Amino acid sequence: MAKFAVFIDLENCGAKVATLDSVLEKVKIRGDILLGKVYGYTDRFSDLKEVLLSNTFTVVPSLRYGIAQKNNADIQLVIDALEVAYTNDLIDSFCIVSGDSDYVPLVGKLKSMGKFVLGISRSEATSNIFLNACNEFQFLEGVSRKAAAPERKGRKPAGGEETVAEADLNKLIVSIIDEATGMDEMYASELKGVLTRLRPDFNEKAYGCASFYKLLAKLSAKYGDIYVKNDNFNVMVSINAGMEGAEVHPQLTRDNWKEAFAAQLSAYKDGGFERVNPSILKADILTTYPDFNERNIGFKRFSDVMKQLEKDGLVKVEMDEQRTMLIKLL
């Protein structure tokens, strides 16, 4: 299991509680967080206190003086990360929440020491050099919670009204299996370990089950999203892609596509984002509408869709210094 040190540039991550929770959840699915630091903290980020304290993060305040204040924070992050790499043998993985190309030499040094580097950043602030230097990279928009998907048309919970806590747990388990390994299934014991990292107060008895296996069987029967099997006394859990009553994917048409795009753009704004790379938007639309195709809604290219959204006053199309298209959320 990976042992992480996490270094977060608050300005880069948007400093929203939900966004920070999503970043930490992403890391905890991969392993334990042994050390965490945030940089650029000021009183305007006071909403984050509970999240930072509960995850035992150290806060590096922002002292605003002169034009070099950002570089000072960058240098401090590099010094701290290298100190951890050289002095803490327990930590084998680093997560850097920032997309600045200034961190590329740091990434290179960490990798040369055998460390795994996960980068997370807003798409508008990400250097391609930094992105490609990391062992793994994820855009912050993708890490953050997506817009709510349409009501599911597939299998309904069996036997009465669903419990909100159980529904949330079921979604979390599906997310863990989907992201934790890249495999089709995982051991129930490993799954429970990830659950307790994400939710330290987790207890199957709170859901009326004497064992974790019985809880998994209950969720499988009630929602149909996971499949549980006993393989030589090892309980395995997988996503139940071939279940009866499988989900019917919603479709985008010329009549409803603007509503779907507006909902996703609104989700970005709620997450504190001002600009988004169109490729991120398209990926998130495809997550909810796997059969999406520009031609099905009357356009030749995705850039044409962006131009229509600009005409409708939902976004403004911009180009960054690298001549990469960005959309500003209005």
Side-chain angles (χ1 to χ4, degrees):
M1 180 173 60
K3 308 292 185 182
F4 271 93
V6 181
F7 299 90
I8 299 176
D9 176 357
L10 284 179
E11 294 286 351
N12 184 274
C13 81
K16 295 280 188 178
V17 173
T19 304
L20 187 55
D21 275 336
S22 296
V23 169
L24 297 178
E25 185 173 289
K26 208 75 169 178
V27 178
K28 288 178 181 179
I29 286 176
R30 288 159 172 74
D32 276 332
I33 298 178
L34 300 191
L35 180 150
K37 283 191 174 185
V38 295
Y39 298 82
Y41 184 88
T42 65
D43 289 340
R44 68 190 180 97
F45 298 142
S46 59
D47 290 348
L48 303 178
K49 284 183 180 179
E50 182 177 348
V51 178
L52 296 175
L53 289 172
S54 62
N55 286 279
T56 65
F57 267 63
T58 300
V59 171
V60 179
S62 175
L63 299 178
R64 299 183 176 275
Y65 179 80
I67 61 174
Q69 57 189 351
K70 180 179 182 298
N71 288 334
N72 290 341
D74 291 351
I75 292 170
Q76 186 63 54
L77 190 156
V78 171
I79 292 173
D80 292 346
L82 288 175
E83 181 182 15
V84 170
Y86 278 109
T87 62
N88 194 326
D89 293 335
L90 292 175
I91 292 176
D92 55 19
S93 303
F94 287 74
C95 175
I96 300 174
V97 184
S98 182
D100 200 319
S101 61
D102 291 347
Y103 293 125
V104 171
L106 169 64
V107 174
K109 185 63 178 177
L110 293 174
K111 289 170 67 177
S112 74
M113 298 173 68
K115 310 297 185 183
F116 174 89
V117 181
L118 167 65
I120 300 176
S121 177
R122 291 177 294 139
S123 60
E124 67 162 307
T126 301
S127 162
N128 288 333
I129 300 174
F130 177 75
L131 185 157
N132 293 322
C134 296
N135 294 103
E136 180 184 354
F137 186 90
Q138 297 205 17
F139 287 111
L140 196 58
E141 295 90 332
V143 172
S144 302
R145 287 163 176 79
K146 308 289 193 301
E151 182 180 354
R152 183 172 177 163
K153 298 179 181 178
R155 182 170 177 173
K156 301 294 183 183
E161 186 175 337
E162 72 176 53
T163 304
V164 173
E166 287 184 356
D168 289 342
L169 178 64
N170 181 70
K171 291 177 183 177
L172 180 58
I173 287 175
V174 171
S175 176
I176 291 171
I177 299 173
D178 187 43
E179 295 187 29
T181 62
M183 305 291 289
D184 293 331
E185 59 184 5
M186 64 189 302
Y187 289 103
S189 58
E190 182 184 0
L191 173 60
K192 184 173 181 179
V194 176
L195 269 177
T196 53
R197 287 202 300 272
L198 294 171
R199 307 285 186 268
D201 61 345
F202 170 77
N203 189 324
E204 53 266 27
K205 292 180 176 60
Y207 298 90
C209 298
S211 68
F212 188 56
Y213 173 78
K214 290 183 178 179
L215 174 59
L216 292 174
K218 178 182 179 181
L219 295 175
S220 177
K222 188 170 186 178
Y223 299 99
D225 293 328
I226 60 174
Y227 175 70
V228 186
K229 68 177 180 179
N230 208 324
D231 184 13
N232 294 326
F233 303 103
N234 290 317
V235 178
M236 307 297 296
V237 191
S238 59
I239 296 177
N240 196 358
M243 63 196 175
E244 181 184 354
E247 179 178 0
V248 177
H249 295 305
Q251 301 289 323
L252 283 186
T253 66
R254 299 189 185 206
D255 295 326
N256 68 4
W257 74 270
K258 286 183 184 179
E259 180 182 349
F261 273 77
Q264 185 60 60
L265 294 170
S266 179
Y268 292 143
K269 290 182 70 175
D270 291 342
F273 299 100
E274 296 180 357
R275 292 174 178 80
V276 177
N277 190 303
S279 63
I280 300 296
L281 174 58
K282 184 172 183 178
D284 288 339
I285 290 294
L286 283 168
T287 298
T288 308
Y289 305 93
D291 298 325
F292 166 73
N293 186 297
E294 297 90 337
R295 295 183 181 275
N296 293 341
I297 60 173
F299 299 95
K300 290 184 178 180
R301 296 174 294 273
F302 195 70
S303 59
D304 296 330
V305 180
M306 297 301 96
K307 292 174 183 176
Q308 183 60 52
L309 291 175
E310 184 175 37
K311 289 180 181 179
D312 294 335
L314 294 175
V315 302
K316 180 180 179 182
V317 177
E318 300 178 342
M319 304 294 286
D320 65 11
E321 295 178 354
Q322 302 176 6
R323 304 303 297 168
T324 299
M325 179 184 288
L326 293 173
I327 50 174
K328 181 179 180 180
L329 309 180
L330 300 179

